[in-house]
């Protein structure tokens, strides 16, 4: 499963809201305030304001204050990068003091299209709300109708804040003449920005980012070896794949390090030979394209009818007519390639294997809102695959899922009609998501999102996705599980916290077979293929 916050450029600078480092969020905010200008150059002034309209550097209590010049950056530079650069250039400590940013766009006549104010305190350390005689956090959100702001934006934000506010603590949106205490014509307080960026970060949870980055440089390729930049993935001594434009290689676990570089042995190279300096990425799914390309295993491309349309799948039939099928379900942000590592094992075990996709995969139907619903709707695609297998002669089905794919399998088992659920004879779950709250919280904290901000993101996910994370939780699985489970847990997993799965295994030792690794999320096979495959074969023989 792709981490919720990976690739968003999040960083923490003092107490500055870390989520402002998201470039897409910044462009989105600018486009909402100045409709039609989202693709024009943007100039941003980053200064510090003491709450009284004076631009200065606000240090800690008793520190000297001095005037600072403003600075300009373009929209091509992420706000977080700009802020860090300004901090360096101006020796400006971003420690929660009032930060003022004015955003100008071409055609605005030089007037600010947007001013953002983070109300963290005045130069003497006192909350500026308190200094102005207001309870902390209750200051107004002001949008000047004469500015470039969308007039309807204030109403939408006001309604959204009030809908989320059950204790009367959120600020209101004010319209009309600027209040005397406001230092500029368009000011948004912390609460509005928090709502906005909670919205933006919930977007990363609900919409899968399938863009490809190429963080690794192939320095050399010769004599059956690749020389790569050294990082956590390239230096980990496990079976891996490395992909570059036009080709990929399967790498053995052998690793040697030399002067900041890693030498990896190539087991098989496919496609074009990489040129020195080629950019690449590491891939724990190892293999490319399809069963025939990866292993020489014949397969059929079949279509499974679903609620939203037809989804393609791979159907691998062994010799004979086996009555047990395995339905393989990939994780969030992955594809059917995730199953290629274990396909030879499943085939040799004599089961028919159906490798499926589900809604919002690149080659599957898109949901009406284009969001992933974290299993709340996707489980239906798994249920359709079970019906397909049964219609083709399957007497029993083993559901095999990785990460969110395991969540889909367990949700399908729970929600399918009893007659269909009775077909499920076993579950194989590799680094399963059992608790979305715990998973998203762990990821957010890992990427520097303030702890008190995480709950707001989770509620936005539920609100926008029309789902309940609590209802999707499998934390009660120990009491409800009725079929045998083979459970792979990685103790070094930084994407899905391993604790819920380990607790589940301890609670049901007679029904759950636990296998552990320490190679990272979904990499139990990569660490010890023979041990992993033996466990799968043994489990399948016990449930077929």
């Amino acid at each position: 499963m792709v981490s919720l916050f990976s690739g968003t450029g999040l960083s923490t600078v003092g107490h500055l809201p870390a989520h402002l480092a998201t470039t897409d969020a910044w462009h989105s905010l600018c486009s909402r305030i100045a409709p039609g200008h989202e693709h024009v150059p943007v100039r941003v002034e980053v200064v510090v304001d003491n709450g009284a309209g004076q631009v200065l550097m606000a240090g800690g209590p008793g520190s000297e204050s001095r005037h600072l010049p403003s600075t300009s950056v373009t929209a091509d530079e992420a706000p977080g990068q700009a802020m860090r650069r300004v901090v360096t250039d101006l020796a400006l400590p971003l420690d929660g003091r009032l930060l003022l940013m004015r955003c100008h766009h071409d055609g605005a006549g030089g007037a600010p299209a947007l001013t953002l104010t983070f109300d963290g305190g005045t130069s003497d350390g006192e909350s500026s709300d308190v200094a102005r005689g207001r309870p902390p956090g209750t200051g107004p959100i002001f949008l000047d109708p004469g500015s470039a702001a969308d007039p309807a934006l204030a109403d939408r934000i006001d309604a959204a804040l009030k809908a989320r506010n059950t204790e009367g603590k959120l600020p209101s949106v004010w319209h009309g003449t600027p209040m005397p205490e406001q230092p500029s014509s368009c000011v948004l307080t912390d609460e509005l920005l928090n709502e906005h960026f909670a919205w933006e970060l919930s977007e990363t949870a609900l919409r899968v980012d399938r863009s490809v980055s190429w963080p690794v440089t192939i320095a050399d390729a010769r004599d059956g070896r690749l020389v790569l930049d050294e990082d956590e993935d390239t230096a980990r001594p496990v079976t891996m794949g490395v992909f570059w434009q036009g080709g990929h290689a399967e790498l053995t676990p052998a690793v040697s390090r030399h002067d900041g570089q890693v030498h990896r042995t190539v087991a098989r190279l496919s496609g074009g030979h990489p040129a020195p300096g080629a950019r690449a990425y590491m891939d724990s799914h190892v293999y490319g394209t399809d069963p025939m390309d990866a292993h020489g295993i014949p397969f059929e491309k079949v279509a499974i009818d679903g609620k939203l349309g037809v989804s393609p799948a791979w159907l691998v039939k062994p010799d004979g007519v086996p009555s047990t099928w395995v339905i393989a379900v990939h994780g969030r942000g992955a594809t059917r390639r995730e199953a290629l590592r274990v396909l030879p094992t499943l085939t040799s075990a004599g089961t028919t294997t159906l490798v499926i996709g589900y809604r919002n995969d690149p080659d599957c139907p898109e949901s009406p809102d284009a969001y992933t619903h974290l299993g709340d709707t996707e489980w239906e695609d798994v249920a359709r695959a079970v019906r397909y297998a049964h219609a083709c002669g399957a007497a029993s089905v083993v559901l095999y899922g990785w990460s969110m794919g395991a969540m889909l399998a367990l949700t399908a088992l729970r929600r399918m009609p009893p007659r269909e659920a009775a077909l499920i004879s076993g579950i194989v779950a590799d680094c399963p998501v059992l608790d979305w709250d715990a998973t998203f919280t762990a990821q957010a904290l890992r990427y520097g999102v303030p702890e008190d901000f995480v709950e707001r993101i989770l509620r936005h996910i539920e609100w926008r996705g029309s789902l309940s994370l609590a209802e999707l939780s499998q934390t009660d699985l120990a009491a409800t599980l009725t079929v045998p489970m083979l459970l792979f847990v990685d103790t070094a997993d930084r994407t899905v916290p391993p604790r819920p799965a380990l607790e589940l295994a301890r609670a049901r030792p007679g029904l759950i077979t636990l296998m552990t690794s320490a190679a990272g999320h979904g990499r139990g096979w990569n660490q010890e293929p023979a041990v992993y495959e033996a466990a799968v074969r043994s489990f399948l023989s016990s449930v077929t």
Side-chain angles (χ1 to χ4, degrees):
M1 184 181 84
V2 177
S3 177
L4 166 61
F5 298 99
S6 64
T8 59
L10 291 172
S11 62
T12 301
V13 185
H15 295 292
L16 181 69
H19 37 287
L20 271 182
T22 311
T23 304
D24 289 344
W26 175 251
H27 284 297
S28 174
L29 185 57
C30 290
S31 67
R32 290 186 192 186
I33 298 298
H37 294 280
E38 57 267 38
H39 300 300
V40 300
V42 173
R43 187 172 76 258
V44 180
E45 297 174 356
V46 184
V47 297
V48 168
D49 187 278
N50 70 349
Q54 181 184 13
V55 177
L56 46 78
M57 179 179 74
S63 65
E64 181 182 357
S65 297
R66 62 183 177 85
H67 287 275
L68 293 173
S70 63
T71 187
S72 295
V73 298
T74 68
D76 295 331
E77 186 173 15
Q81 295 172 336
M83 292 177 193
R84 287 190 293 274
R85 181 170 59 75
V86 171
V87 169
T88 301
D89 292 348
L90 304 180
L92 175 64
L94 293 181
D95 58 356
R97 302 297 177 256
L98 190 63
L99 174 68
L100 184 68
M101 298 178 61
R102 289 187 176 90
C103 170
H104 306 258
H105 62 69
D106 288 354
L114 171 66
T115 298
L116 313 181
T117 302
F118 301 92
D119 199 351
T122 60
S123 58
D124 60 2
E126 183 180 23
S127 165
S128 54
D129 272 333
V130 174
R132 293 168 181 165
R134 299 190 300 258
T138 60
I141 297 169
F142 184 79
L143 292 167
D144 180 3
S147 73
D150 174 5
L153 179 65
D155 293 330
R156 294 201 303 271
I157 293 172
D158 199 23
L161 293 179
K162 288 176 180 176
R164 310 298 291 175
N165 174 21
T166 58
E167 300 180 4
K169 294 181 179 179
L170 296 182
S172 300
V173 177
W174 289 72
H175 304 267
T177 305
M179 298 177 68
E181 64 198 30
Q182 299 300 331
S184 67
S185 64
C186 182
V187 176
L188 299 92
T189 62
D190 269 354
E191 188 59 44
L192 173 56
L193 287 180
N194 284 342
E195 284 293 302
H196 173 77
F197 285 105
W199 176 285
E200 294 296 340
L201 288 182
S202 68
E203 180 82 1
T204 68
L206 296 170
R207 197 184 302 277
V208 176
D209 179 9
R210 296 189 181 275
S211 61
V212 177
S213 61
W214 310 84
V216 176
T217 298
I218 301 177
D220 198 7
R222 66 177 68 179
D223 302 325
R225 290 196 171 194
L226 295 182
V227 180
L228 310 172
D229 294 338
E230 182 174 353
D231 64 21
E232 185 177 11
D233 278 342
T234 61
R236 193 184 294 274
V238 299
T239 301
M240 289 288 285
V242 58
F243 287 71
W244 58 90
Q245 292 280 7
H248 73 277
E250 299 155 23
L251 306 178
T252 73
V255 175
S256 59
R257 298 178 177 84
H258 304 277
D259 300 326
Q261 294 179 321
V262 172
H263 292 218
R264 298 294 302 252
T265 301
V266 175
R268 188 177 74 149
L269 186 145
S270 301
H273 203 78
R279 303 295 294 174
Y281 66 88
M282 304 295 287
D283 190 341
S284 61
H285 301 164
V286 182
Y287 302 104
T289 63
D290 58 44
M292 178 60 75
D293 174 74
H295 305 294
I297 297 176
F299 71 102
E300 297 177 32
K301 294 181 180 180
V302 299
I304 300 176
D305 290 329
K307 182 178 181 180
L308 300 178
V310 175
S311 295
W314 296 332
L315 179 61
V316 180
K317 297 179 178 178
D319 295 333
V321 186
S323 61
T324 298
W325 285 42
V326 173
I327 296 178
V329 191
H330 67 76
R332 179 182 182 277
T335 66
R336 295 192 299 275
R337 284 197 311 109
E338 188 160 25
L340 290 175
R341 291 170 293 177
V342 299
L343 203 51
T345 303
L346 301 178
T347 303
S348 67
T351 61
T352 297
T353 303
L354 184 65
V355 184
I356 69 168
Y358 46 86
R359 60 195 67 190
N360 296 315
D361 278 4
D363 54 359
C364 291
E366 189 175 80
S367 60
D369 57 8
Y371 288 158
T372 171
H373 289 259
L374 308 175
D376 196 44
T377 57
E378 293 86 353
W379 73 269
E380 297 173 3
D381 300 329
V382 177
R384 297 265 182 173
V386 172
R387 294 181 200 125
Y388 178 93
H390 183 55
C392 292
S396 66
V397 172
V398 174
L399 298 179
Y400 195 140
W402 290 262
S403 194
M404 187 177 108
M407 164 71 81
L408 303 190
L410 292 167
T411 303
L413 178 63
R414 175 176 290 182
R415 295 186 179 182
M416 283 191 299
R419 275 185 69 182
E420 295 178 0
L423 292 169
I424 309 304
S425 61
I427 300 280
V428 181
D430 191 325
C431 294
V433 177
L434 299 178
D435 183 346
W436 278 119
D437 267 31
T439 297
F440 285 151
T441 297
Q443 291 183 8
L445 296 179
R446 177 187 169 196
Y447 283 94
V449 177
E451 186 171 2
D452 59 359
F453 193 77
V454 174
E455 181 66 20
R456 190 189 297 257
I457 298 173
L458 297 179
R459 302 295 73 83
H460 269 266
I461 291 171
E462 293 185 315
W463 176 36
R464 298 181 62 193
S466 299
L467 55 87
S468 167
L469 296 179
E471 289 182 7
L472 288 172
S473 173
Q474 301 285 340
T475 53
D476 64 342
L477 192 58
T480 61
L481 186 65
T482 58
V483 299
M485 174 186 286
L486 174 59
L487 179 59
F488 292 99
V489 179
D490 195 281
T491 57
D493 195 335
R494 292 192 293 174
T495 301
V496 175
R499 175 180 289 181
L502 292 172
E503 292 176 348
L504 172 63
R506 284 194 290 267
R508 296 298 298 273
L511 197 60
I512 297 175
T513 301
L514 175 66
M515 302 293 295
T516 60
S517 57
H521 184 63
R523 295 180 177 181
W525 179 91
N526 304 72
Q527 178 173 297
E528 293 184 296
V531 173
Y532 189 105
E533 292 164 2
V536 171
R537 280 192 295 268
S538 176
F539 180 76
L540 291 178
S541 67
S542 70
V543 297
T544 58

